[in-house]
Amino acid sequence: MNDTAAIRVLLADDEHLIRGALAALLALEDDLLVVAEAASGPEALAMARAHRPDVAVLDLQMPESDGVSVAAALRSELSDCRTMIVTSHGRPGHLKRALEAGVRAFVPKTTSAQRLAEIIRTVHGGSRYVDPGLAADAISAGDSPLTAREAELLELAADGASIAEIAQRAALSQGTVRNYLSAAAAKLGAENRHAAARIAQEHGWL
């Protein structure tokens, strides 16, 4: 694949050895192109503005500005840039903040480079990915990660209603309903709205 068709990636991690190794491994993927690297939050923003990456892979904990703050700024400034958080310190609160900031994937640093490349492609394609272990930790923390609207729509989905039926009953567009249910499924680490509804019911959140 030529450079113009490759997925342009920004890597931000203050650990130089990890960042360099990851850049070298991703360079082996024909459809990925690491266009910039950064060691801090402000540098990540500056590099993103300069290089306009398709996907920004951000370390959660960086000097001056953490990955979630960078993701929130990128959502505002560069809406076409999708963001991912990679962390060795995944906590339920971090996951909730990341999802609220528009982060599309939340993965541990134990993830292999090959799997990370797959997740970058998933995110670039418009989907979300949350590591099942991190999602399970968030769920077991007790508080529902769902907003009131997400819970309302999941409850309708639990009855077996179609997207069109849910949209009609909730007085929303079908696209909006899909976005809410997709966000809910991502928060719960579920494959689809039906699995998400089941998980939410099992935890007493509906």
Side-chain angles (χ1 to χ4, degrees), residues 114-168:
Q114 182 179 13
R115 181 68 184 120
L116 186 66
E118 293 170 359
I119 296 169
I120 289 171
R121 296 182 187 106
T122 295
V123 166
H124 181 255
S127 298
R128 294 180 175 88
Y129 176 84
V130 176
D131 176 76
L134 295 177
D137 288 345
I139 292 169
S140 65
D143 292 335
S144 172
L146 303 172
T147 65
R149 178 63 73 147
E150 288 165 355
E152 174 194 351
L153 297 182
L154 269 187
E155 192 163 14
L156 293 174
D159 294 338
S162 68
I163 293 291
E165 291 169 331
I166 294 170
Q168 185 175 15

Side-chain angles (χ1 to χ4, degrees), residues 21-99:
L22 187 55
L25 289 167
L26 291 180
L28 300 175
E29 304 289 334
D30 290 340
D31 59 338
L32 302 181
L33 178 67
V34 177
V35 295
E37 298 179 39
S40 69
E43 187 179 2
L45 280 173
M47 288 294 175
R49 292 177 188 127
H51 295 277
R52 304 271 169 167
D54 298 310
V55 178
V57 181
L58 309 168
D59 186 17
L60 177 63
Q61 296 187 329
M62 293 186 290
E64 299 179 67
S65 182
D66 70 8
V68 175
S69 299
V70 173
L74 289 176
R75 180 172 65 168
S76 173
E77 291 189 39
L78 300 172
S79 58
D80 290 339
C81 177
R82 302 185 187 276
T83 54
M84 298 172 49
I85 294 290
V86 182
T87 180
S88 54
H89 309 283
R91 298 289 183 273
H94 295 151
L95 175 56
K96 187 173 184 222
R97 277 185 61 225
L99 292 170

